[in-house]
Amino acid sequence: MNKYESLYVIVPDLTEEENASVIEKFSSIIAANGGEIEKVDEWGKRRLAYTIDYKTEGYYVLVVFSAPAEVPAELERNLKNDERIMRYKVTRHHA
């Protein structure tokens, strides 16, 4: 299994419960496909470097996980199809 990092930005106008459900959704996708989550780091609301869809803030979440090679593609597919996600990036973690 390889180590990966996923950083995604949730739209800023969700409640804390809705943010928690989004984070849980993507964590469960990783776990359901044979991955193990090592750390979920919620950075909270931050100012964006540039405006995205007329929004100047976003809720940042960093997830570090180990998973088989197919999992990042499945995770990216789900992140792409969720309208609550503004931007995302999944990278291989070299530690």
Side-chain angles (χ1 to χ4, degrees):
M1 288 208 296
N2 299 321
K3 277 184 91 167
Y4 298 95
E5 285 183 338
S6 173
L7 179 66
Y8 53 91
V9 183
I10 303 171
V11 293
D13 44 1
L14 298 181
T15 65
E16 285 185 31
E17 294 80 26
E18 290 171 322
N19 281 338
S21 74
V22 171
I23 294 166
E24 177 57 36
K25 173 186 174 183
F26 294 112
S27 297
S28 66
I29 288 170
I30 294 168
N33 288 290
E36 294 177 14
I37 295 175
E38 294 177 19
K39 182 173 76 169
V40 176
D41 192 6
E42 295 183 42
W43 294 357
K45 274 191 185 174
R46 299 261 176 119
R47 187 165 185 77
L48 299 173
Y50 53 90
T51 305
I52 301 173
D53 296 332
Y54 305 104
K55 293 177 174 56
T56 57
E57 286 187 326
Y59 192 88
Y60 284 71
V61 180
L62 175 70
V63 180
V64 178
F65 62 98
S66 298
E70 315 80 50
V71 175
E74 177 66 17
L75 182 61
E76 284 183 342
R77 186 182 69 77
N78 283 279
L79 287 163
K80 179 181 175 184
N81 293 330
D82 196 320
E83 69 279 350
R84 300 171 293 185
I85 303 298
M86 296 166 62
R87 290 287 187 273
Y88 62 90
K89 186 74 173 177
V90 179
T91 57
R92 181 123 180 248
H93 184 68
H94 299 285

